[in-house]
Amino acid sequence: MCEICEREREMLNGFQPKASRRTQGERLLRWVEEMRHLGLNDAEITAIRCNDSLTTKGKTAEEIRQALDKTSHA
């Protein structure tokens, strides 16, 4: 399936291609954009990436900031 057809399919029925079809760089860029969309700045995003135990999925910017504060004071 060509990329255009894949995108059309995604838009029509929410289909997401397997994560393995996206490169690591593509996934990282998408994640960074999602973090920026939440309102996090580049310094906060870098701190998240440096902390292996911090998860961001389903969290608000405030929840992520609180978790960052806890790990930086530990």
Side-chain angles (χ1 to χ4, degrees):
M1 186 179 297
C2 73
E3 187 172 348
I4 294 170
C5 294
E6 281 185 3
R7 299 299 164 247
E8 183 179 21
R9 185 174 175 186
E10 287 176 13
M11 289 187 296
L12 291 174
N13 59 9
F15 173 79
Q16 290 290 324
K18 293 181 182 177
S20 62
R21 295 186 74 180
R22 292 192 173 129
T23 66
Q24 184 177 357
E26 288 173 322
R27 290 190 302 269
L28 177 59
L29 286 174
R30 184 174 177 189
W31 177 82
V32 168
E33 287 303 315
E34 289 173 5
M35 296 298 104
R36 286 181 178 149
H37 183 72
L38 286 175
L40 298 173
N41 62 40
D42 288 343
E44 292 168 325
I45 293 169
T46 301
I48 294 166
R49 292 202 59 223
C50 292
N51 186 332
D52 293 333
S53 63
L54 184 66
T55 59
T56 59
K57 190 169 187 168
K59 293 185 178 178
T60 65
E62 190 58 37
E63 291 171 328
I64 294 169
R65 287 184 182 113
Q66 288 174 357
L68 279 173
D69 285 342
K70 287 179 185 177
T71 59
S72 66
H73 290 103

